[in-house]
Amino acid sequence: MNVFGIDVSKHQGKIDWPQVAASGVRFAILRAGYGNTAAQADPYFAANYAGAKAAGLKVGAYWYSYASGPDDAASEAAACLQVLAGRELDLPLFFDQEYEPAILAQTTAGRTACVQRFCAAVQAAGYRPGLYASKNWLETKLDMAALAGLPVWVAMYAAACTYAGPYVLWQTGSSGRVPGISGPVDTNLCPDEALLFGSEKEDVMSDMLKVGPVSGGDRKTMAALADSLGLPHEDAGNYLIIGPASAGDRKAVAAKAAALAVGCVEYVPEPEPEPTPEPTPTPEPTPPPDSGKDDTAACTEQLARIEAKLDKLLGLLGLVNPALLEG
């Protein structure tokens, strides 16, 4: 069953969230901001977050990108994390990539790398990342095979969504009308509730982070941050392994890494291989005792002894004439 929701920004102005919830809206995706500085936060984000949560709606967020390359996308992630300020999201945090000149000027690989860099940074900070784009953009401007598994929010203003790839959310239009909002609003359908709501938080999240590749200066900066948070850390080639760390400390580390434009992803140590058990030797069969005689001779000798005993017994019983047994 389709689940109905909306996405909003400053363009919707002040929203009466109890009315929105009463109208049947189940979730809201809020614009957190855009660009690469926290000064570009959406001015209504904090109020929308508080109002939507208080009204009982599931809440997600998106960040509008202008990134001209992966390092710029990392800066955008740092700004986004600063604006979120640790707020918990029920739904993914979507990277919004559209037809901006600096983005169009890149190659498919470059645009894809921007998505990967932003999403890795926010995931390391404890958020579930996602991607927002139009159907045409997904089909012609990105390497979606390289982004497999990333929740997709596809924009297609039509009677049906014909995007062939997997998606968790479909933006159906921009002129919807919802009680509690004075003007038009973007409308969305989730085709499967479990896709959007069923994985609000990862079942298993590593409490360690892998930062890098890092230069000598960035390594010192990240190590100093870890020390200030009381987190263990160790060098691993061109990388720095930090943790175990709490969710809050992971967010702080990820935000700093994004500000330095270095990678930061979850780190799961390789399990130590179990020792191979020694094979149990097969016992040698025990040979029968050696009598030291030929088998036929031994058998004849044994029969002779039995016969002599039997003759003696018969004589004692008077069944045979003892004289016949002599000689």
Side-chain angles (χ1 to χ4, degrees):
M1 172 186 281
N2 286 328
V3 182
F4 180 65
I6 59 176
D7 63 273
V8 301
S9 68
K10 71 174 184 178
H11 300 296
Q12 278 66 51
K14 186 176 180 181
I15 297 174
D16 186 332
W17 285 105
Q19 277 197 50
V20 171
S23 73
V25 171
R26 291 279 307 281
F27 64 88
I29 312 295
L30 316 176
R31 187 178 75 160
Y34 60 93
N36 56 17
T37 72
Q40 294 166 298
D42 189 294
Y44 281 81
F45 172 68
N48 282 337
Y49 179 89
K53 292 288 282 185
L57 298 182
K58 296 290 187 180
V59 174
Y62 72 93
W63 190 266
Y64 189 93
S65 176
Y66 289 93
S68 59
D71 289 348
D72 203 13
S75 297
E76 291 189 339
C80 178
L81 292 172
Q82 189 174 346
V83 171
L84 290 176
R87 292 179 177 88
E88 292 188 1
L89 297 177
D90 306 300
L91 309 181
L93 170 56
F94 291 96
F95 182 63
D96 181 353
Q97 195 177 62
E98 301 188 29
Y99 296 84
E100 296 295 338
I103 300 175
L104 284 169
Q106 299 174 63
T107 63
T108 295
R111 288 186 289 268
T112 303
C114 286
V115 177
Q116 292 172 319
R117 190 67 169 272
F118 181 96
C119 290
V122 300
Q123 184 175 36
Y127 293 101
R128 182 186 179 205
L131 168 66
Y132 170 92
S134 69
K135 175 179 180 288
N136 175 264
W137 191 272
L138 295 170
E139 293 174 340
T140 65
K141 299 295 189 291
L142 291 171
D143 179 2
M144 294 308 293
L147 301 174
L150 191 67
V152 170
W153 176 12
V154 57
M156 183 181 179
Y157 297 173
C161 182
T162 58
Y163 176 60
Y167 62 93
V168 301
L169 203 57
W170 166 32
Q171 188 180 68
T172 60
S174 60
S175 56
R177 293 290 177 171
V178 172
I181 299 177
S182 60
V185 65
D186 293 346
T187 52
N188 300 272
L189 290 177
C190 171
D192 184 348
E193 188 171 0
L195 292 177
L196 195 60
F197 301 152
S199 300
E200 295 166 10
K201 295 182 180 179
E202 298 295 328
D203 291 333
V204 177
M205 175 171 283
S206 173
D207 58 2
M208 301 180 72
L209 298 174
K210 182 178 181 180
V211 179
V214 288
S215 64
D218 290 342
R219 185 190 302 273
K220 289 180 180 178
T221 299
M222 296 305 302
L225 174 62
D227 289 335
S228 70
L229 295 173
L231 302 178
H233 56 86
E234 62 178 297
D235 290 334
N238 293 329
Y239 294 85
L240 190 66
I241 307 300
I242 300 177
S246 66
D249 287 344
R250 289 200 303 273
K251 290 179 181 180
V253 172
K256 188 64 175 179
L260 295 173
V262 298
C264 181
V265 297
E266 291 181 29
Y267 173 73
V268 179
E270 291 287 337
E272 294 187 8
E274 296 184 2
T276 304
E278 293 290 334
T280 304
T282 303
E284 294 289 336
T286 304
D290 186 4
S291 63
K293 296 183 179 180
D294 179 77
D295 290 344
T296 302
C299 185
T300 301
E301 182 180 335
Q302 186 174 10
L303 288 174
R305 287 198 300 268
I306 294 173
E307 183 179 358
K309 290 181 179 179
L310 180 60
D311 290 344
K312 185 176 180 181
L313 178 61
L314 292 175
L316 291 173
L317 296 174
L319 298 177
V320 177
N321 188 347
L324 296 177
L325 297 176
E326 297 178 358

